[in-house]
Amino acid sequence: MKYNFKKTEKKWQKIWRDEQTFQSEDNSTREKYYCLIEFPYPSGDGLHVGHVRSHTALDVIARHKRLVGKNVLYPIGWDAFGLPTENYAIKTGIHPADATRQNIAIFKKQIQSLGISFDWSREINTTEPEYYKWTQWIFLQLYKKGLAYKKAMPINWCPSCKIGLANEEVVDAKCERCGHVAERKNLNQWLLKITQYADRLIEDLETVDYLDKIKTSQINWIGRSYGAEIDFLVDNSNEKIRVYTTRPDTIFGTTYMVLSPEHELVEALTTDKQRKAVLAYQKLTRTKSDLERTELAKEKTGVWTGSYAVNPVNKELLPIWIADYVLSTYGTGAIMAVPAHDERDFEFAKKFKLDIKEVIQSEQGILAKAYIGDGKLINSDFLNGLEVEKAIEAINKWLEDNGIGKSAKNYKLRDWIFSRQHYWGEPIPIVFCEKCGEIPVPEDQLPVALPMVEKYEPTDTGESPLADISDWVNTTCPKCSGPAKRETDTMPNWAGSSWYFLRYIDPKNDQSFADQDKLKYWMPVDLYNGGMEHTTLHLLYSRFWNKFLYDIGVVPTSEPYQSRVSHGMILAPDGEKMSKSRGNVINPDVIVTEYGADVLRVYEMFIGPYDQAVIWDTNGIKGVKRFLDKVWKFENFVAKDSEKIISSLQQTIHKVTKDIDQMHFNTAVSSLMEFVNEIIITGCSQDTFKTFLILLSPFAPHLAEELNQKYGNKQYVCQEKWPKFDKNKIKISTIEMPIMINGKVRQRLIVSPDITEEEIKKLVMSDEKLQKYLISKPKKFIFVSGKMLSIVV
RNA sequence: GGGCGAGUGGCGGAAUUGGUAGACGCGCUGGACUUAAAAUCCAGUGACUGAAUAAGUCGUGCGGGUUCAAUUCCCGCCUUGCCCACCA
């Protein structure tokens, strides 16, 4: 009888749903296992085969953990605020809330057709007031602790999306969303002080188990460096310039100073003679987009202010320049330039014919390029003869003793720009009162709900569309009850996803974001999977929020995720990224309809190493279908298993268990295939076949359940016990042992696996084929028990 | 320019405390079944020499090295993917 996958898959999905088979227990004495998949953004495009890959992979793990007796939490929800939905609303007039609802319904149906064992009773949605009430609540806690503040600042501005962008959202100087070149614009923005957590975000990585490349990318993004801050007095003036440098040891090599064009001292330091040039340069850099600045990076530009600074160590006069290769947002926005030992300074000095003074001994001629390596200090007075490391210690002490500077550290990480001038996001719960100023909305008035509107178009002024809704904007001050206005900025996409893993633990709680006892039981997340594209930002932001919540005593662990893994992308058959515009998208629904969910699941697990990018191959699906058909049609049952089958079963148990643990799903599937190929030939007992069905069930749950039932098991496969590997049951009577002569395999002998060296030598000496190689006397035997024999003649 | 990773049959890929390279799957070739096709089943399938299921040579990006033995370890290159790029 042919396997009716459509009927069977529907049948089991209904049973699982009706009986709530995969619901996690909150008050359990069993050991917990929390596995988390990044919740999808319910876009209008529907589910992607990439979603299927990661959701299935963690489903295999979740199902396996249940079978070994763990209380598993494997939840799903929707990260539904965001620009695409808002843009869709602008285009079609459909309210974002309606569009979101529709998209979620589609995603949900698609995911459910795959038989993923999510606990649907915990489904969450970041756009529901019951959810974002708590996102706003967390913001208020940050605000209370002084970690949220408003500041006028130049932001990256996308003139196409009409939205402020965080540094992280500017890619190649372009808007991450639409690709339009980003500009600079001054706006009042909310910021979160993530920089205050920079050190802990680096150091606590030692306590978690992430892939090394993920840890590295977190560390690089934070970009901590150690150096010194040094004050340089300005000649004929009371002003002083503070610089940050990682190489204070080279201070005697300073030949000029550079301020960023935006630096606050520029105006005071500019002489009348230079004023015109300086103003022109400032204007030029202001209008330059980031892209132009990047593209022109090779060519250094700058202008002299007309002033000089005094080098504190030797009183030399140093001309003060402004140049846009010095960034206003990093360090102090000013540098001491040491062209002999810094590539950028060298380039600048060459172009403007400034002095180059060598202070580190090197073999190379300094005229060709800057020397940035180690060596002994020269031309540096009291530092002469010291190695770089020692010299840094010495100069730091000198600076401190003389009150001129001190050692310091710096980060590339900036505070997180948290404002967005858009409609479809969480309103920031702050009001502005004419009398009382900036007032947080009291917690009992949360959520500050998004008002229903007809128009979502962002304004050209940069204000949020919410600013146009006077009914909503005008409110009363929670403190004095006088007239007040609401904050009209909304939160970025990253807000709701920064804490969703906590909400799954207690999704219906209306007293707090989650119950403390439940949090203590479930946290931290044991396994977190997501794409590489989120390993810097989302991971950093959510770790920051969790640490903050830990500090105020409302979550039990400092780190939210015990381990983090990432999946590779699925590329289209042409080797390109799947995209609508290329027309090479594979729709998972089509595969499910044609072959069934189990085939799609097993195929995606078999397609290649989980952490690597793979190319979709429609032919590969046929192979998986053949495999599952063979399992369905299997009927070569025998009363008693052969020794060979008993051993093979144990080896398969061992391999599949190990591979699931290590996320080597492709080789787990291939060992299941090998086992089936074997029992088709030799036959196996029904018990052995049932054990095999348990091994298969995480990958092809519907088929495994159906066959399990067919062979009379009342209990579902998903409620069985995972078989235990028993090494003692493996009995191998003979092996093929290769005999190597001078490094080449010349013969293979069938022998017992525990043959001794003496016995195998005897066999070799009497072997006909080997005689011609053994005419000259063997010098050396290397015998690896149970593996091989190597002979040197 | 910097950081991390990857290069194995016609294709996706397997194998690393150094120990039979090419598991498993696709594709391909031949055969069985069929009026025919699809599906299914059986056999074969790294390259080369060879009538050969005799024997042998070569073979894991390229060039060296260590070793009885290297896809695996070391040195030097090439190619390619991803991430970050004026961070003082």
Side-chain angles (χ1 to χ4, degrees), chain A residues 132-157:
Chain A
Y132 68 70
K133 170 181 177 178
W134 299 107
T135 313
Q136 291 172 335
W137 181 85
I138 295 169
F139 177 87
L140 287 179
Q141 310 313 307
L142 287 159
Y143 181 83
K144 277 186 203 160
K145 295 285 175 188
L147 291 170
Y149 62 100
K150 207 166 191 190
K151 188 180 158 191
M153 62 178 314
I155 60 151
N156 303 299
W157 173 259

Side-chain angles (χ1 to χ4, degrees), chain A residues 109-380:
Chain A
K109 199 172 159 230
Q110 289 185 298
I111 291 175
Q112 286 182 331
S113 78
L114 296 168
I116 310 278
S117 65
F118 287 128
D119 178 353
W120 285 98
S121 72
R122 294 171 187 261
E123 182 181 351
I124 57 173
N125 175 346
T126 56
T127 65
E128 280 170 0
E130 296 78 21
Y131 182 93
Y132 68 70
K133 170 181 177 178
W134 299 107
T135 313
Q136 291 172 335
W137 181 85
I138 295 169
F139 177 87
L140 287 179
Q141 310 313 307
L142 287 159
Y143 181 83
K144 277 186 203 160
K145 295 285 175 188
L147 291 170
Y149 62 100
K150 207 166 191 190
K151 188 180 158 191
M153 62 178 314
I155 60 151
N156 303 299
W157 173 259
C158 174
S160 167
C161 298
K162 294 176 182 170
I163 190 172
L165 304 169
N167 286 326
E168 294 87 322
E169 291 167 318
V170 182
V171 177
D172 285 339
K174 291 176 194 154
C175 171
E176 186 191 43
R177 305 158 195 284
C178 71
H180 203 282
V181 174
E183 294 173 354
R184 296 198 165 272
K185 187 168 176 134
N186 255 314
L187 271 183
N188 261 320
Q189 298 289 310
W190 283 98
L191 288 101
L192 298 186
K193 273 190 197 163
I194 189 171
T195 49
Q196 196 166 308
Y197 280 75
D199 284 330
R200 283 166 69 194
L201 287 169
I202 292 175
E203 277 139 31
D204 290 353
L205 285 172
E206 281 173 29
T207 68
V208 294
D209 179 25
Y210 296 0
L211 293 177
D212 278 344
K213 62 177 172 180
I214 297 176
K215 283 190 184 182
T216 310
S217 75
Q218 295 262 299
I219 290 166
N220 289 346
W221 190 268
I222 297 167
R224 181 165 63 187
S225 71
Y226 293 95
E229 283 185 358
I230 306 172
D231 292 333
F232 285 68
L233 293 173
V234 177
D235 195 33
N236 295 321
S237 159
N238 294 325
E239 303 286 359
K240 61 184 177 189
I241 299 168
R242 176 164 293 182
V243 303
Y244 173 73
T245 176
T246 53
R247 292 294 301 275
D249 56 307
T250 60
I251 189 166
F252 284 94
T254 309
T255 55
Y256 63 102
M257 309 284 290
V258 187
L259 306 182
S260 74
E262 300 89 354
H263 197 283
E264 54 178 7
L265 285 178
V266 172
E267 205 191 326
L269 299 185
T270 303
T271 58
D272 289 339
K273 208 175 150 198
Q274 288 300 100
R275 189 163 308 276
K276 204 172 152 194
V278 166
L279 288 176
Y281 185 74
Q282 282 181 315
K283 193 178 168 200
L284 184 72
T285 42
R286 237 194 334 271
T287 54
K288 256 197 236 175
S289 70
D290 273 359
L291 183 66
E292 287 169 306
R293 275 172 86 142
T294 312
E295 273 179 350
L296 299 171
K298 286 166 222 141
E299 191 66 14
K300 296 275 181 292
T301 58
V303 176
W304 180 41
T305 60
S307 297
Y308 292 88
V310 183
N311 192 334
V313 289
N314 57 12
K315 308 301 172 207
E316 277 178 17
L317 288 185
L318 308 164
I320 303 167
W321 288 65
I322 63 170
D324 67 1
Y325 82 92
V326 171
L327 308 173
S328 62
T329 47
Y330 183 78
T332 59
I335 62 155
M336 59 177 220
V338 185
H341 305 292
D342 181 282
E343 285 170 10
R344 295 149 303 179
D345 296 344
F346 182 85
E347 223 180 289
F348 192 81
K350 275 276 168 194
K351 175 157 178 189
F352 294 101
K353 304 203 164 45
L354 296 159
D355 289 345
I356 297 174
K357 187 177 153 198
E358 209 176 0
V359 290
I360 308 283
Q361 203 159 36
S362 68
E363 309 270 302
Q364 66 174 62
I366 59 149
L367 293 178
K369 60 175 190 183
Y371 175 74
I372 50 173
D374 282 339
K376 281 197 167 62
L377 273 282
I378 52 170
N379 303 327
S380 295

Side-chain angles (χ1 to χ4, degrees), chain A residues 733-746:
Chain A
S733 49
T734 57
I735 57 162
E736 198 182 64
M737 182 167 284
I739 311 299
M740 295 171 88
I741 312 275
N742 287 345
K744 284 206 159 88
V745 178
R746 294 298 179 182

